[in-house]
Structures are given as C-alpha cells and as structure tokens.
C-alpha cells in the first residue's frame, strides 16, 4: 500500500530560472512484478494521452487504498516540462527541443552496448536470471551516466523509471487519426495483441524487430531484441512490452474518451496482473498488425493548400487520390491541384487536417497495408 508522488527536478538552464519538474506517481511496492510504466506527452503538444492518465490516476489511487495494486505501476502524466513551456506567438509547440532542435521522441539512449559489456559471459539458460542480470546492468549503466543539460537529464531519469519495466507505454497522438499502436514484431500477437485488443487499437504497426531511430518505446523494446541478437545461445525473452500508443488526433480530447481509454488501460493492467481483479473476456481485436514496411506514407510534392478526399479510417486502394495540394497562385482551376495517391491497399489511419499549409516533403497521410512496399523497405522513419 503505497501511493507516492515525487518530482524529478531538472537542472536550470538559464540564470534566474528554477529547474523544471516532472511529476511522477508510484503505486505498489518497488520491485513488485509486473511493473508497468506509463507516460504521456513527450511530444508536449499531444495531450489526449494525458487526458487518459488524468482519468486513470484516481482509479489507481482507489485501487491502492483497497490494496489491489499487486505489481508496481508508475505514471508520469506529462513527462516533458521542457516542451510544455514552449509557448511562442500564442502557440504551444512542444515537439522539438529549441536548444538542439532534436525531436523529443528521437535519440533516446540505446543502452544495448553498455549492457552487453556488463553481462558478457554471465548469461545462460535461465530466462529469469538473464532478465534480472540485464535489468540490473541497464540500471547500473544509467546510474553511471552524468547528463549535462536538462534534456539529457530528463532522458536518463525517465529511463531509470522504465528500463526495468515489464510494460512500458508511451502515449502520443497524431493530427487526425484512428487509435493506433506501434510495437515490435517480437511482441505480436502475444503481449501486444492483448494490449491492442484491450485498448481497441484500430491499426497496429510493427517494427521488425525494432525501429532504427531511437524513440522512447523503441529503446525500451530494442534492448531485449539487441541482447538476444548479440547472445544467441542465451535464453533472452522479450521481457518488456514497450509500445507507442497514438490516442487519435490532437483534438480528440473529451471526458468520454479519456474515461473510456482509462478504463481500457486499467483492464489491461488487471489482465497483466499488475492490479488484482477480473479483466473479463478479451475484447475482439479490431485490426491485425501490419508491417512498418507495408505502411505507405504520402508526401506533399510541392507547397500549397491541403484538401482531402478520404476521411480518417477510410479503406483506400492503390492509385486512389487521398488528398490534393492546391497552388493558390495558379489560375487554371483544377489544373492547379496536384493529387497525392495511395500506393497500397489499406486503412487510412493518419492524415492532417483540411486547409493546412503543405510544403515539399511533408508527410500528408499514412496507410496501414499488409503488403511489403518496395519504396518503404528499410524505411521505418516516421514523424510520430
Ligand atoms: Zn508524438
């Protein structure tokens, strides 16, 4: 029985300003299993996940009072105070670090190398022993780090909370999108299939085995895949289900959605044994997982005004125009419009809003398709 609220204090970056703080809620006994870690708004302008956690937190407080937290649950409702503070010209930005221009969800610390050095020669047939050794090595590697600035400190301190978890969920959102998930193929169908069913994911995309760029959920997941590749003779399971959950579009924030999403997350935590209770029957899976190499991304070829033909969630087929970019300076009417077509059959799970200014190279839609696309092979880059 322990709910505690603590704060991670980041170093101050400028004279006269205090260090920013990250609020962290802990439930259950430290070291109890399973350990679940949930965070929202690393892209600080993506708040639907924070809304879900706003509704989940009182449920966890009540479960804790009743002694029902069996594992350990850590919740960080808004993990990025640096991004939260990015107010500019009456807009809230929150996606890229002003100092280094880094996307806040890239370049997380890949601990695999440091962990390999620490566990070399110590891994064997026992999955349990291997998991414990790898987690201890990862925490030791983080403890040895001496971050210099506030963003580095944020990354090190947050990974200390997540890297030894059994479940790490990073809550994001898109512009205009269905509820979708990014996972590792190593977790599918298994643990990620259960998560997808419980939260009602309408599309699930898997990296095989992990994303090339270092997203938060990517580094938490890739640790296990990389160690398994490095030590093939040792028994190294995928010990952490790490996933990015995209809670629809940026403005899909309401108490009804937040409450439903919190109920679903809670039921998933019950199903995984972190909270006592009965989860009931697993909801029907809404969509099979599809490969990242089968995900078509549409790019704007030129600058202009963006207008869509297809709504989010639409089934599209190869060759179908999804949207167009209008050159406002061109007087030729329809000839001023450039169509951007689907290059696969699938579900249009993500797009922008009508009327947005488009620029060359901007991602304007994403389609989840099951066929591997030659133009996507080896490309797992996405602007999540
Ligand atoms: Zn995001």
């Amino acid at each position: 029985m322990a709910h505690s609220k603590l704060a991670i204090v980041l170093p101050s970056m400028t004279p006269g300003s205090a260090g920013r703080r990250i609020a962290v809620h802990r439930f259950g006994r430290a070291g109890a299993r399973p350990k679940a870690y949930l965070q929202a708004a690393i892209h600080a302008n993506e708040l639907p996940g924070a809304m879900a956690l706003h509704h989940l937190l009182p449920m966890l407080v009540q479960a804790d009072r009743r002694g029902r937290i069996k594992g350990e649950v850590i919740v960080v409702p808004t993990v990025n105070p640096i991004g939260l503070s990015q107010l500019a010209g009456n807009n809230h930005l929150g996606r890229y670090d002003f100092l280094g221009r880094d996307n806040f969800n890239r370049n997380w610390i890949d601990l695999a190398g440091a962990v390999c050095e620490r566990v070399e020669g110590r891994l064997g047939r026992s999955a349990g022993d291997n998991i414990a050794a790898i987690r201890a090595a990862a925490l030791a590697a983080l403890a040895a780090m001496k971050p210099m600035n506030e963003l580095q400190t944020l990354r090190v301190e947050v990974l200390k909370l997540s890297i030894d978890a059994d479940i790490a969920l990073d809550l994001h959102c898109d512009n205009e999108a269905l509820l979708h998930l990014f996972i590792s193929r190593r977790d599918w169908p298994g643990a990620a299939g259960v998560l997808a069913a419980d939260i009602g994911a309408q599309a699930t995309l898997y990296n095989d085995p992990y994303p090339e760029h270092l997203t938060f959920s990517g580094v938490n997941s890739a640790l296990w895949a990389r160690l398994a590749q490095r030590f093939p003779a040792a028994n190294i399971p995928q010990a952490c289900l790490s996933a990015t959950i995209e809670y629809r579009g940026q403005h899909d924030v309401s108490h009804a959605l937040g409450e439903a999403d919190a109920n679903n997350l809670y039921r998933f935590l019950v199903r995984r044994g972190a909270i006592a209770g009965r989860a009931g029957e697993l909801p029907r899976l809404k969509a099979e997982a599809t490969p990242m190499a089968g995900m078509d991304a549409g790019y704007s070829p030129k600058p202009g005004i963006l207008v869509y033909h297809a709504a989010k969630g639409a089934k599209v087929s190869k060759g179908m125009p999804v949207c167009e970019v209008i050159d406002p300076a061109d007087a030729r009417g329809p000839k001023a419009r450039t169509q951007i077509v689907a290059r696969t059959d699938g579900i249009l799970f993500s797009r922008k809003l009508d009327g947005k200014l488009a620029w060359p190279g901007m991602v304007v839609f994403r389609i989840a398709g099951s066929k591997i696309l030659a133009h996507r092979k080896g490309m797992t880059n996405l602007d999540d």
Side-chain angles (χ1 to χ4, degrees), residues 42-43 45-46 95 105 171-174 244 246 383-384:
I42 188 65
H43 286 143
N45 57 344
E46 299 177 359
R95 187 175 187 84
N105 196 30
L171 280 42
H172 288 246
C173 72
D174 208 310
T244 297
E246 301 277 349
D383 188 33
D384 65 328

mmCIF file of all heavy atoms in Angstrom, residues 42-43 45-46 95 105 171-174 244 246 383-384, ligand 1:
data_model
loop_
_atom_site.group_PDB
_atom_site.id
_atom_site.type_symbol
_atom_site.label_atom_id
_atom_site.label_comp_id
_atom_site.label_asym_id
_atom_site.label_seq_id
_atom_site.Cartn_x
_atom_site.Cartn_y
_atom_site.Cartn_z
ATOM 1 N N ILE A 42 5.435 13.213 -24.226
ATOM 2 C CA ILE A 42 6.850 13.502 -24.509
ATOM 3 C C ILE A 42 6.896 14.492 -25.676
ATOM 4 O O ILE A 42 7.721 15.393 -25.696
ATOM 5 C CB ILE A 42 7.668 12.219 -24.793
ATOM 6 C CG1 ILE A 42 9.152 12.536 -24.897
ATOM 7 C CG2 ILE A 42 7.225 11.493 -26.056
ATOM 8 C CD1 ILE A 42 9.775 13.023 -23.635
ATOM 9 N N HIS A 43 6.009 14.317 -26.641
ATOM 10 C CA HIS A 43 5.673 15.424 -27.546
ATOM 11 C C HIS A 43 4.647 16.246 -26.766
ATOM 12 O O HIS A 43 3.498 15.830 -26.605
ATOM 13 C CB HIS A 43 5.070 14.908 -28.854
ATOM 14 C CG HIS A 43 6.083 14.283 -29.759
ATOM 15 N ND1 HIS A 43 5.819 13.191 -30.529
ATOM 16 C CD2 HIS A 43 7.379 14.647 -30.015
ATOM 17 C CE1 HIS A 43 6.915 12.887 -31.231
ATOM 18 N NE2 HIS A 43 7.867 13.754 -30.935
ATOM 19 N N ASN A 45 2.822 18.718 -26.991
ATOM 20 C CA ASN A 45 1.551 19.237 -27.509
ATOM 21 C C ASN A 45 0.581 18.105 -27.850
ATOM 22 O O ASN A 45 -0.406 18.326 -28.543
ATOM 23 C CB ASN A 45 1.805 20.107 -28.749
ATOM 24 C CG ASN A 45 2.545 19.345 -29.836
ATOM 25 O OD1 ASN A 45 3.123 18.293 -29.576
ATOM 26 N ND2 ASN A 45 2.548 19.882 -31.039
ATOM 27 N N GLU A 46 0.864 16.905 -27.366
ATOM 28 C CA GLU A 46 -0.015 15.756 -27.617
ATOM 29 C C GLU A 46 -0.649 15.353 -26.292
ATOM 30 O O GLU A 46 -0.067 14.587 -25.523
ATOM 31 C CB GLU A 46 0.796 14.616 -28.224
ATOM 32 C CG GLU A 46 1.421 15.013 -29.565
ATOM 33 C CD GLU A 46 2.298 13.913 -30.166
ATOM 34 O OE1 GLU A 46 2.437 12.843 -29.539
ATOM 35 O OE2 GLU A 46 2.834 14.144 -31.252
ATOM 36 N N ARG A 95 7.290 19.947 -29.702
ATOM 37 C CA ARG A 95 7.720 18.729 -30.384
ATOM 38 C C ARG A 95 9.240 18.616 -30.528
ATOM 39 O O ARG A 95 9.796 17.537 -30.457
ATOM 40 C CB ARG A 95 7.075 18.705 -31.764
ATOM 41 C CG ARG A 95 7.303 17.449 -32.509
ATOM 42 C CD ARG A 95 6.546 17.421 -33.828
ATOM 43 N NE ARG A 95 6.686 16.115 -34.414
ATOM 44 C CZ ARG A 95 5.922 15.081 -34.100
ATOM 45 N NH1 ARG A 95 4.947 15.225 -33.230
ATOM 46 N NH2 ARG A 95 6.123 13.913 -34.643
ATOM 47 N N ASN A 105 11.101 12.826 -29.270
ATOM 48 C CA ASN A 105 10.971 11.363 -29.277
ATOM 49 C C ASN A 105 11.977 10.706 -30.214
ATOM 50 O O ASN A 105 11.676 9.703 -30.860
ATOM 51 C CB ASN A 105 9.545 10.943 -29.640
ATOM 52 C CG ASN A 105 9.284 9.492 -29.272
ATOM 53 O OD1 ASN A 105 9.868 8.973 -28.311
ATOM 54 N ND2 ASN A 105 8.431 8.823 -30.032
ATOM 55 N N LEU A 171 2.420 7.361 -24.459
ATOM 56 C CA LEU A 171 1.146 7.828 -25.004
ATOM 57 C C LEU A 171 1.347 9.091 -25.843
ATOM 58 O O LEU A 171 1.814 10.105 -25.338
ATOM 59 C CB LEU A 171 0.157 8.096 -23.853
ATOM 60 C CG LEU A 171 -0.572 6.881 -23.251
ATOM 61 C CD1 LEU A 171 0.306 5.667 -23.042
ATOM 62 C CD2 LEU A 171 -1.263 7.264 -21.946
ATOM 63 N N HIS A 172 1.008 8.974 -27.107
ATOM 64 C CA HIS A 172 1.121 10.077 -28.065
ATOM 65 C C HIS A 172 -0.234 10.320 -28.706
ATOM 66 O O HIS A 172 -1.235 9.696 -28.353
ATOM 67 C CB HIS A 172 2.104 9.698 -29.185
ATOM 68 C CG HIS A 172 3.531 9.675 -28.780
ATOM 69 N ND1 HIS A 172 4.459 10.553 -29.277
ATOM 70 C CD2 HIS A 172 4.210 8.866 -27.923
ATOM 71 C CE1 HIS A 172 5.639 10.297 -28.754
ATOM 72 N NE2 HIS A 172 5.525 9.271 -27.929
ATOM 73 N N CYS A 173 -0.231 11.205 -29.722
ATOM 74 C CA CYS A 173 -1.369 11.308 -30.627
ATOM 75 C C CYS A 173 -0.852 11.817 -31.958
ATOM 76 O O CYS A 173 0.313 12.192 -32.094
ATOM 77 C CB CYS A 173 -2.450 12.224 -30.080
ATOM 78 S SG CYS A 173 -2.006 13.973 -30.117
ATOM 79 N N ASP A 174 -1.734 11.815 -32.932
ATOM 80 C CA ASP A 174 -1.403 12.238 -34.290
ATOM 81 C C ASP A 174 -2.194 13.517 -34.570
ATOM 82 O O ASP A 174 -2.761 14.117 -33.649
ATOM 83 C CB ASP A 174 -1.799 11.089 -35.229
ATOM 84 C CG ASP A 174 -0.966 11.055 -36.481
ATOM 85 O OD1 ASP A 174 -0.839 12.116 -37.120
ATOM 86 O OD2 ASP A 174 -0.461 9.974 -36.839
ATOM 87 N N THR A 244 4.214 2.364 -28.418
ATOM 88 C CA THR A 244 3.746 3.742 -28.565
ATOM 89 C C THR A 244 2.264 3.671 -28.901
ATOM 90 O O THR A 244 1.890 3.036 -29.884
ATOM 91 C CB THR A 244 4.506 4.447 -29.710
ATOM 92 O OG1 THR A 244 5.898 4.502 -29.368
ATOM 93 C CG2 THR A 244 3.986 5.861 -29.923
ATOM 94 N N GLU A 246 -0.923 5.742 -30.033
ATOM 95 C CA GLU A 246 -1.334 7.031 -30.610
ATOM 96 C C GLU A 246 -2.828 7.194 -30.351
ATOM 97 O O GLU A 246 -3.655 6.545 -30.997
ATOM 98 C CB GLU A 246 -1.035 7.061 -32.111
ATOM 99 C CG GLU A 246 0.436 6.854 -32.461
ATOM 100 C CD GLU A 246 1.289 8.119 -32.370
ATOM 101 O OE1 GLU A 246 0.719 9.223 -32.227
ATOM 102 O OE2 GLU A 246 2.529 7.999 -32.447
ATOM 103 N N ASP A 383 7.166 10.239 -38.558
ATOM 104 C CA ASP A 383 7.184 11.511 -37.853
ATOM 105 C C ASP A 383 6.244 11.437 -36.651
ATOM 106 O O ASP A 383 5.364 12.253 -36.500
ATOM 107 C CB ASP A 383 6.725 12.587 -38.847
ATOM 108 C CG ASP A 383 6.898 13.966 -38.289
ATOM 109 O OD1 ASP A 383 7.853 14.169 -37.536
ATOM 110 O OD2 ASP A 383 6.070 14.828 -38.596
ATOM 111 N N ASP A 384 6.413 10.428 -35.832
ATOM 112 C CA ASP A 384 5.471 10.261 -34.717
ATOM 113 C C ASP A 384 5.916 11.096 -33.543
ATOM 114 O O ASP A 384 5.746 10.740 -32.427
ATOM 115 C CB ASP A 384 5.337 8.797 -34.323
ATOM 116 C CG ASP A 384 6.623 8.240 -33.774
ATOM 117 O OD1 ASP A 384 7.681 8.689 -34.220
ATOM 118 O OD2 ASP A 384 6.573 7.382 -32.909
HETATM 119 ZN ZN1 LIG B 1 4.098 12.062 -30.634
#
